[in-house]
Amino acid sequence: MQITVHFYSYFKELTGCAETSEQLAHKSTIADLQAQLAKRFPKLHEMQNSTLIAVGVEYQGKAYELQEGDAVSFFPPVQGG
Amino acid sequence: MQITVHFYSYFKELTGCAETSEQLAHKSTIADLQAQLAKRFPKLHEMQNSTLIAVGVEYQGKAYELQEGDAVSFFPPVQGG
Amino acid sequence: MKRELTVSPSPIDEGALIAARKMSSGMGAAVYFSGVVRGLESNEAIAAIDYEAFHKMAEHQFYLLFDEMEKRWPIESVRLVHRLGKVNVGEASLWVEIIAPHRAESFAACQWLIDEMKRLVPIWKKPLQ
Amino acid sequence: MKRELTVSPSPIDEGALIAARKMSSGMGAAVYFSGVVRGLESNEAIAAIDYEAFHKMAEHQFYLLFDEMEKRWPIESVRLVHRLGKVNVGEASLWVEIIAPHRAESFAACQWLIDEMKRLVPIWKKPLQ
């Protein structure tokens, strides 16, 4: 299945892109997606302990099971105000 | 010595006046002044546990030793805001 | 710490006060509190509150509180307006502005100042039907 | 609880926002917070901050916070404005208004909302020299 991936803030600099798409096996989780992205984006992988993850507009954890067409966002700690 | 006494808020209703003056012996304290006022203003006396007392623009306690010309104010708990 | 205190019967023009705000470039936080006369006092409908002050002492006690506030927090400026006389339901009787480097101290100082005012500043209210 | 949320690059006109305030007669407290861009960020002089948002998620997360706030406190109304894009030093990037019956809940809700925003709402800043 195909998943759209978005990066925000300085994660765009770390990956060199704002958006990409990944092919994943059926029933893959966010953790699986992260493992796959780690190979392409080692600098993103280094930030994994401070990475926030959303699917659509909701926060989700690493165990979240992805579905075809999901838009997953990775971003650093937020800083509004 | 002569002391000016002011009442504020509903203490004016309790005493029927906004201002009065009292003759006191030299070295009299606020407690002495209160005892003297209690005779004239029994309704004021009833409120003594919730009475705030100032000399000039500073709060003072019952042991404060008054001086000729002092302006003493008696008032109920404040309610600004 | 800059101080600006107004204890007077004039209506509080919050827009004009905001427009006159001055903050140096190190300041990141402005907190405001507007206390507005409610239509109920002790569960009875009222039309207004009449505020009475021991004016000279009220100002003195406010300045003492400003002195103490300055010792406790790195506040750049405080402005406080308290109305006297008749204040109708829906009108502001109290307006406070605290300007500080950061949010935490601006909120803490503003709440402390109002708490202390309610304990120490000789102003009283009488509900008017 | 009434909600009004603006996440946009437009400057925040605090005077106009105050002038548009609506409070029912049971409300006694309005608290405001203005967050202003400081001239120093991590001890370095800056000229502005560039705010980036995941816009759709930011709005959604703000509304989730408003829902939660309504459960916790008897708030009549919340208005929140967050700027995006370049905000110069001395300009407000955040403006919040909370209207409630009493002071304590208005302060508590306002502080809670800003704390939670800083934890959950996807907005980021980049200092500009």
Side-chain angles (χ1 to χ4, degrees):
Chain A
M1 62 183 177
Q2 182 150 324
I3 300 294
T4 314
V5 178
H6 298 267
F7 302 111
Y8 288 93
S9 183
Y10 61 85
F11 280 16
K12 285 181 290 196
E13 274 84 61
L14 296 184
T15 60
C17 69
E19 188 179 332
T20 183
S21 69
E22 290 288 318
Q23 286 294 333
L24 286 169
H26 186 59
K27 296 214 166 211
S28 291
T29 61
I30 286 176
D32 297 328
L33 172 61
Q34 281 192 291
Q36 194 161 317
L37 289 170
K39 296 167 206 157
R40 274 175 67 194
F41 305 120
K43 285 180 185 165
L44 181 71
H45 181 64
E46 287 169 21
M47 304 304 293
Q48 64 177 328
N49 291 333
S50 57
T51 296
L52 299 176
I53 303 162
V55 177
V57 294
E58 302 287 355
Y59 284 101
Q60 299 295 352
K62 291 175 197 281
Y64 181 86
E65 200 170 277
L66 294 162
Q67 295 197 302
E68 173 73 32
D70 272 348
V72 183
S73 297
F74 291 85
F75 47 82
V78 306
Q79 304 169 295
Chain B
M1 62 184 179
Q2 183 150 323
I3 300 294
T4 314
V5 177
H6 299 266
F7 302 111
Y8 288 93
S9 182
Y10 61 84
F11 281 16
K12 284 180 291 194
E13 274 83 61
L14 297 183
T15 60
C17 69
E19 187 180 334
T20 183
S21 68
E22 288 288 317
Q23 285 296 333
L24 286 168
H26 185 60
K27 296 215 165 212
S28 291
T29 63
I30 285 176
D32 297 327
L33 172 61
Q34 281 192 290
Q36 195 162 315
L37 289 169
K39 296 168 205 159
R40 274 175 68 194
F41 305 119
K43 285 179 185 163
L44 181 71
H45 181 63
E46 287 168 22
M47 304 304 294
Q48 64 177 327
N49 291 333
S50 58
T51 296
L52 299 175
I53 303 163
V55 177
V57 293
E58 303 286 355
Y59 284 100
Q60 300 294 352
K62 290 175 197 282
Y64 181 87
E65 201 170 277
L66 294 163
Q67 295 197 303
E68 173 73 33
D70 272 347
V72 183
S73 297
F74 291 85
F75 46 81
V78 305
Q79 303 169 295
Chain C
M1 186 181 79
K2 280 180 286 182
R3 299 128 198 259
E4 207 178 294
L5 174 66
T6 308
V7 179
S8 103
S10 305
I12 300 175
D13 184 344
E14 297 178 48
L17 286 160
I18 296 277
R21 175 169 75 207
K22 290 201 180 73
M23 290 174 77
S24 74
S25 77
M27 297 300 116
V31 165
Y32 298 89
F33 179 75
S34 301
V36 171
V37 173
R38 301 169 72 207
L40 282 178
E41 184 77 13
S42 310
N43 281 321
E44 289 206 12
I46 63 166
I49 286 183
D50 184 44
Y51 285 92
E52 175 194 357
F54 175 1
H55 198 283
K56 200 176 155 193
M57 181 172 172
E59 294 196 331
H60 176 69
Q61 294 293 324
F62 269 128
Y63 283 116
L64 290 179
L65 293 178
F66 296 163
D67 289 345
E68 178 66 22
M69 192 169 74
E70 182 169 30
K71 286 182 202 152
R72 292 177 180 227
W73 294 281
I75 306 299
E76 175 169 87
S77 141
V78 56
R79 291 192 289 167
L80 189 149
V81 184
H82 200 302
R83 276 186 79 179
L84 297 180
K86 185 182 171 190
V87 184
N88 292 320
V89 167
E91 292 180 6
S93 54
L94 171 67
W95 181 89
V96 184
E97 175 196 68
I98 303 284
I99 289 173
H102 303 101
R103 182 167 56 99
E105 59 243 21
S106 62
F107 272 107
C110 190
Q111 289 171 283
W112 177 88
L113 178 60
I114 300 170
D115 283 339
E116 290 295 288
M117 174 196 79
K118 287 179 176 283
R119 203 167 66 82
L120 293 168
V121 175
I123 296 176
W124 302 272
K125 49 191 192 181
K126 190 193 282 181
L128 301 175
Q129 252 73 35
Chain D
M1 186 180 80
K2 280 179 286 184
R3 299 126 199 258
E4 206 177 294
L5 174 66
T6 308
V7 179
S8 104
S10 306
I12 300 174
D13 184 344
E14 297 179 48
L17 286 160
I18 296 277
R21 176 169 75 206
K22 291 201 181 73
M23 291 173 77
S24 74
S25 77
M27 297 299 117
V31 165
Y32 298 90
F33 179 75
S34 301
V36 172
V37 174
R38 302 168 72 207
L40 283 178
E41 185 77 12
S42 309
N43 281 322
E44 290 207 10
I46 63 166
I49 287 183
D50 184 44
Y51 284 92
E52 174 193 357
F54 176 0
H55 198 284
K56 200 175 154 193
M57 181 172 174
E59 294 195 333
H60 176 70
Q61 294 293 325
F62 269 129
Y63 283 116
L64 290 179
L65 294 178
F66 296 163
D67 289 345
E68 178 66 23
M69 192 168 75
E70 182 169 31
K71 287 182 202 151
R72 292 177 179 228
W73 293 281
I75 305 299
E76 176 170 88
S77 142
V78 57
R79 291 192 288 168
L80 188 149
V81 185
H82 201 302
R83 276 186 78 178
L84 297 180
K86 184 182 172 191
V87 183
N88 292 321
V89 167
E91 293 180 7
S93 54
L94 171 67
W95 182 89
V96 184
E97 175 195 67
I98 303 285
I99 290 173
H102 303 101
R103 182 167 55 99
E105 59 244 18
S106 62
F107 272 106
C110 190
Q111 289 172 282
W112 177 87
L113 178 59
I114 300 170
D115 284 338
E116 291 296 288
M117 173 196 80
K118 287 178 178 282
R119 202 167 67 82
L120 293 169
V121 175
I123 297 177
W124 303 272
K125 48 191 192 181
K126 190 193 283 180
L128 301 175
Q129 252 73 37

